[in-house]
Protein backbone atom coordinates (compact mmCIF):
# COMPACT_ATOMS: atom_id res chain seq x y z
CA UNK A 1 0.00 0.00 0.00
CA UNK A 2 1.25 3.48 -0.85
CA UNK A 3 2.31 5.35 2.29
CA UNK A 4 1.17 8.91 2.82
CA UNK A 5 2.97 11.41 5.00
CA UNK A 6 0.19 11.43 7.60
CA UNK A 7 0.73 10.63 11.27
CA UNK A 8 -2.11 9.96 13.66
CA UNK A 9 -1.57 10.19 17.40
CA UNK A 10 -4.05 8.30 19.56
CA UNK A 11 -3.74 9.35 23.20
CA UNK A 12 -5.53 6.98 25.54
CA UNK A 13 -6.93 8.70 28.63
CA UNK A 14 -10.00 6.56 29.15
CA UNK A 15 -9.15 5.03 32.52
CA UNK A 16 -10.78 5.80 35.85
CA UNK A 17 -7.52 5.94 37.84
CA UNK A 18 -8.74 3.99 40.88
CA UNK A 19 -5.17 3.21 42.00
CA UNK A 20 -4.44 6.91 42.32
CA UNK A 21 -7.12 7.24 45.04
CA UNK A 22 -7.81 10.80 43.93
CA UNK A 23 -11.14 12.63 43.48
CA UNK A 24 -9.69 13.96 40.22
CA UNK A 25 -9.11 11.48 37.35
CA UNK A 26 -5.36 10.89 37.10
CA UNK A 27 -5.08 12.39 33.61
CA UNK A 28 -6.39 15.70 35.03
CA UNK A 29 -4.13 15.82 38.10
CA UNK A 30 -1.79 18.78 37.75
CA UNK A 31 1.99 18.78 37.56
CA UNK A 32 3.56 22.22 37.61
CA UNK A 33 0.18 23.87 37.18
CA UNK A 34 -1.02 21.87 34.15
CA UNK A 35 -2.93 18.59 33.87
CA UNK A 36 -0.86 15.49 33.11
CA UNK A 37 -2.85 15.03 29.91
CA UNK A 38 -1.90 18.49 28.67
CA UNK A 39 1.76 17.87 29.42
CA UNK A 40 1.60 14.63 27.45
CA UNK A 41 0.02 16.34 24.44
CA UNK A 42 2.47 19.25 24.62
CA UNK A 43 5.43 16.87 24.55
CA UNK A 44 4.30 15.44 21.21
CA UNK A 45 3.43 18.84 19.77
CA UNK A 46 6.91 20.07 20.71
CA UNK A 47 8.29 17.17 18.69
CA UNK A 48 5.99 17.77 15.72
CA UNK A 49 2.93 20.01 15.31
CA UNK A 50 1.64 17.90 12.43
CA UNK A 51 0.04 14.99 14.30
CA UNK A 52 -3.63 14.33 13.73
CA UNK A 53 -4.60 13.92 17.37
CA UNK A 54 -7.34 11.58 18.54
CA UNK A 55 -7.95 11.87 22.26
CA UNK A 56 -9.74 8.98 23.98
CA UNK A 57 -11.73 10.05 27.04
CA UNK A 58 -14.54 8.57 29.11
CA UNK A 59 -17.79 10.10 27.91
CA UNK A 60 -18.44 11.60 31.34
CA UNK A 61 -15.02 13.37 31.30
CA UNK A 62 -15.36 14.94 27.86
CA UNK A 63 -16.97 18.07 29.29
CA UNK A 64 -14.22 18.33 31.92
CA UNK A 65 -11.58 18.42 29.18
CA UNK A 66 -13.45 20.92 27.01
CA UNK A 67 -14.11 23.20 29.99
CA UNK A 68 -10.44 23.09 30.94
CA UNK A 69 -9.34 24.01 27.40
CA UNK A 70 -11.78 26.93 27.33
CA UNK A 71 -10.93 28.26 30.79
CA UNK A 72 -7.16 27.87 30.33
CA UNK A 73 -7.18 29.20 26.77
CA UNK A 74 -5.51 25.97 25.71
CA UNK A 75 -5.72 25.07 22.05
CA UNK A 76 -4.10 22.15 20.28
CA UNK A 77 -6.03 22.88 17.11
CA UNK A 78 -8.63 20.56 15.60
CA UNK A 79 -8.66 17.19 17.31
CA UNK A 80 -11.08 14.31 17.67
CA UNK A 81 -12.40 13.04 20.99
CA UNK A 82 -13.24 9.35 20.88
CA UNK A 83 -15.19 7.47 23.54
CA UNK A 84 -13.29 5.41 26.07
CA UNK A 85 -14.26 1.74 26.18
CA UNK A 86 -14.51 -0.84 28.94
CA UNK A 87 -10.85 -1.81 28.34
CA UNK A 88 -7.87 -0.21 26.65
CA UNK A 89 -8.49 -2.53 23.69
CA UNK A 90 -11.99 -1.15 23.22
CA UNK A 91 -10.78 2.44 23.65
CA UNK A 92 -8.17 2.11 20.90
CA UNK A 93 -10.67 0.32 18.68
CA UNK A 94 -13.05 3.27 19.06
CA UNK A 95 -10.26 5.68 18.10
CA UNK A 96 -9.30 3.69 15.02
CA UNK A 97 -12.69 4.54 13.46
CA UNK A 98 -11.15 7.93 12.66
CA UNK A 99 -7.86 6.64 11.20
CA UNK A 100 -7.22 6.23 7.46
CA UNK A 101 -5.25 3.40 5.90
CA UNK A 102 -1.88 4.10 4.34
CA UNK A 103 -0.79 6.38 7.18
CA UNK A 104 1.20 5.93 10.38
CA UNK A 105 -0.68 5.58 13.68
CA UNK A 106 0.90 5.98 17.10
CA UNK A 107 -0.79 5.04 20.37
CA UNK A 108 0.43 6.63 23.61
CA UNK A 109 -0.69 6.51 27.23
CA UNK A 110 -2.15 9.84 28.29
CA UNK A 111 -0.39 9.57 31.64
CA UNK A 112 3.13 9.22 30.21
CA UNK A 113 4.03 12.93 30.02
CA UNK A 114 7.82 12.67 29.76
CA UNK A 115 8.83 10.68 26.65
CA UNK A 116 12.21 12.17 25.69
CA UNK A 117 12.24 13.94 22.33
CA UNK A 118 15.25 11.88 21.25
CA UNK A 119 13.29 8.68 21.92
CA UNK A 120 10.30 10.00 19.96
CA UNK A 121 12.57 10.90 17.08
CA UNK A 122 14.10 7.42 16.90
CA UNK A 123 10.70 5.70 17.05
CA UNK A 124 9.02 7.89 14.44
CA UNK A 125 11.94 7.84 12.02
CA UNK A 126 11.81 4.04 12.04
CA UNK A 127 8.06 4.08 11.51
CA UNK A 128 8.46 5.13 7.88
CA UNK A 129 10.13 1.83 6.97
CA UNK A 130 9.23 -0.54 9.83
CA UNK A 131 5.55 -1.60 10.08
CA UNK A 132 5.46 -1.93 13.88
CA UNK A 133 7.79 -0.22 16.39
CA UNK A 134 7.60 -0.34 20.18
CA UNK A 135 9.93 1.12 22.87
CA UNK A 136 11.00 -1.06 25.78
CA UNK A 137 13.57 -1.00 28.57
CA UNK A 138 15.30 -3.99 30.20
CA UNK A 139 14.15 -5.01 33.67
CA UNK A 140 16.71 -4.14 36.34
CA UNK A 141 14.95 -6.02 39.14
CA UNK A 142 15.50 -9.59 40.25
CA UNK A 143 12.55 -11.63 39.02
CA UNK A 144 10.98 -14.68 40.66
CA UNK A 145 7.81 -16.70 40.21
CA UNK A 146 5.82 -16.77 43.43
CA UNK A 147 2.93 -18.87 44.68
CA UNK A 148 0.65 -18.45 47.67
CA UNK A 149 0.31 -21.03 50.41
CA UNK A 150 -2.26 -20.00 52.99
CA UNK A 151 -1.37 -16.48 54.08
CA UNK A 152 2.23 -16.74 52.90
CA UNK A 153 3.94 -16.32 49.53
CA UNK A 154 6.94 -18.40 48.50
CA UNK A 155 9.33 -18.42 45.57
CA UNK A 156 9.00 -21.30 43.10
CA UNK A 157 11.72 -20.37 40.58
CA UNK A 158 13.90 -17.57 39.26
CA UNK A 159 13.30 -15.84 35.94
CA UNK A 160 16.19 -14.89 33.68
CA UNK A 161 15.82 -11.13 33.55
CA UNK A 162 18.19 -10.75 30.57
CA UNK A 163 15.26 -11.44 28.23
CA UNK A 164 12.58 -9.54 30.20
CA UNK A 165 11.70 -5.99 29.15
CA UNK A 166 9.22 -3.36 30.32
CA UNK A 167 7.17 -2.19 27.35
CA UNK A 168 6.33 1.48 26.90
CA UNK A 169 4.51 3.79 24.51
CA UNK A 170 4.27 5.37 21.97
CA UNK A 171 3.79 2.22 19.93
CA UNK A 172 3.79 3.11 16.25
CA UNK A 173 2.35 1.12 13.33
CA UNK A 174 1.39 1.30 9.71
CA UNK A 175 -2.23 2.31 10.20
CA UNK A 176 -3.73 -0.51 8.14
CA UNK A 177 -1.84 -3.09 10.23
CA UNK A 178 -3.25 -1.63 13.43
CA UNK A 179 -6.78 -1.34 12.01
CA UNK A 180 -6.79 -4.94 10.78
CA UNK A 181 -5.27 -6.25 14.02
CA UNK A 182 -8.07 -4.66 16.05
CA UNK A 183 -10.70 -6.24 13.84
CA UNK A 184 -10.90 -9.24 16.15
CA UNK A 185 -12.66 -10.17 19.41
CA UNK A 186 -11.17 -8.96 22.67
CA UNK A 187 -8.86 -11.24 24.64
CA UNK A 188 -7.46 -10.62 28.12
CA UNK A 189 -4.05 -11.32 26.56
CA UNK A 190 -4.28 -7.95 24.84
CA UNK A 191 -2.52 -5.70 27.33
CA UNK A 192 -1.20 -3.22 24.77
CA UNK A 193 -1.24 -2.54 21.04
CA UNK A 194 1.88 -4.59 20.35
CA UNK A 195 0.22 -7.68 21.81
CA UNK A 196 -2.79 -7.16 19.54
CA UNK A 197 -0.61 -6.68 16.46
CA UNK A 198 1.56 -9.69 17.29
CA UNK A 199 -1.57 -11.84 17.64
CA UNK A 200 -2.39 -10.91 14.04
CA UNK A 201 0.92 -12.40 12.88
CA UNK A 202 2.90 -9.17 12.45
CA UNK A 203 6.31 -8.95 14.07
CA UNK A 204 6.97 -5.90 16.24
CA UNK A 205 10.41 -4.32 16.33
CA UNK A 206 11.42 -3.33 19.85
CA UNK A 207 13.73 -0.35 20.33
CA UNK A 208 15.23 1.35 23.41
CA UNK A 209 12.73 3.24 25.53
CA UNK A 210 13.57 5.58 28.42
CA UNK A 211 13.53 5.31 32.20
CA UNK A 212 12.03 8.80 32.26
CA UNK A 213 9.04 7.69 30.20
CA UNK A 214 7.09 6.69 33.30
CA UNK A 215 3.41 5.88 33.44
CA UNK A 216 1.69 7.71 36.29
CA UNK A 217 -0.76 5.34 37.96
CA UNK A 218 -0.13 5.62 41.72
CA UNK A 219 0.53 8.42 44.24
CA UNK A 220 4.17 7.28 44.33
CA UNK A 221 4.43 7.76 40.57
CA UNK A 222 3.07 11.26 40.99
CA UNK A 223 5.88 12.14 43.40
CA UNK A 224 8.46 10.89 40.88
CA UNK A 225 6.73 12.82 38.09
CA UNK A 226 6.95 16.01 40.15
CA UNK A 227 10.69 15.51 40.53
CA UNK A 228 11.11 14.89 36.79
CA UNK A 229 9.21 18.11 36.07
CA UNK A 230 11.36 20.06 38.52
CA UNK A 231 14.47 18.67 36.81
CA UNK A 232 13.24 20.00 33.48
CA UNK A 233 12.72 16.58 31.91
Amino acid sequence: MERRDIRYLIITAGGSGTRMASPVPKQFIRIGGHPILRRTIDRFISYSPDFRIILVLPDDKRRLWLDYCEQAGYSIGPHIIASGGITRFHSVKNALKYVERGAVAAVHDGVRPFPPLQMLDSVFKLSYTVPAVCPAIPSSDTLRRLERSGNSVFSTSDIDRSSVYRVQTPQVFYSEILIDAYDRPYSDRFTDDASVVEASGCKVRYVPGSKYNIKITTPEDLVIAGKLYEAGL
Side-chain angles (χ1 to χ4, degrees):
M1 176 176 288
E2 182 180 353
R3 308 237 60 76
R4 290 174 292 164
D5 190 18
I6 297 173
R7 290 190 293 198
Y8 290 90
L9 174 61
I10 298 171
I11 297 182
T12 58
S16 59
T18 54
R19 283 180 288 177
M20 188 62 75
S22 167
V24 179
K26 61 184 177 181
Q27 60 268 41
F28 293 104
I29 294 175
R30 301 199 177 203
I31 296 176
H34 294 314
I36 293 171
L37 181 56
R38 172 174 175 170
R39 294 209 171 275
T40 300
I41 294 170
D42 285 347
R43 180 59 59 99
F44 281 86
I45 291 177
S46 68
Y47 172 69
S48 172
D50 298 326
F51 287 110
R52 295 188 180 183
I53 297 176
I54 302 171
L55 182 57
V56 184
L57 286 171
D59 286 337
D60 62 349
K61 299 299 183 292
R62 183 183 298 240
R63 188 73 258 165
L64 182 61
W65 169 249
L66 294 175
D67 286 347
Y68 166 76
C69 291
E70 182 179 354
Q71 293 164 11
Y74 179 58
S75 175
I76 59 174
H79 63 287
I80 292 170
I81 301 179
S83 296
I86 58 175
T87 68
R88 188 181 189 281
F89 175 92
H90 296 93
S91 292
V92 174
K93 190 166 187 172
N94 287 344
L96 287 171
K97 297 173 184 176
Y98 305 98
V99 173
E100 302 174 37
R101 292 174 176 271
V104 166
V107 186
H108 187 70
D109 299 317
V111 288
R112 286 189 192 268
F114 302 115
L117 296 181
Q118 184 177 3
M119 187 197 85
L120 294 181
D121 192 51
S122 66
V123 170
F124 282 108
K125 280 182 176 177
L126 272 176
S127 71
Y128 286 105
T129 56
V130 178
V133 184
C134 179
I137 58 175
S139 175
S140 59
D141 297 321
T142 297
L143 301 171
R144 291 192 174 94
R145 290 186 178 87
L146 305 179
E147 67 178 21
R148 182 175 295 278
S149 178
N151 293 325
S152 301
V153 178
F154 298 94
S155 173
T156 60
S157 63
D158 291 338
I159 299 173
D160 180 9
R161 71 182 180 191
S162 66
S163 60
V164 176
Y165 285 71
R166 295 162 55 196
V167 176
Q168 300 181 333
T169 64
Q171 299 179 11
V172 189
F173 309 91
Y174 289 177
S175 60
E176 65 274 11
I177 287 176
L178 193 60
I179 291 167
D180 290 343
Y182 269 88
D183 188 22
R184 66 186 62 246
Y186 169 72
S187 166
D188 57 12
R189 296 183 296 108
F190 297 154
T191 55
D192 66 352
D193 310 288
S195 61
V196 180
V197 167
E198 286 169 336
S200 73
C202 178
K203 285 190 175 182
V204 176
R205 180 168 172 179
Y206 289 87
V207 297
S210 170
K211 63 183 178 180
Y212 301 121
N213 188 23
I214 66 168
K215 184 177 182 181
I216 303 171
T217 58
T218 68
E220 293 79 12
D221 297 331
L222 194 59
V223 173
I224 295 171
K227 297 299 182 183
L228 291 175
Y229 168 75
E230 291 171 4
L233 296 170

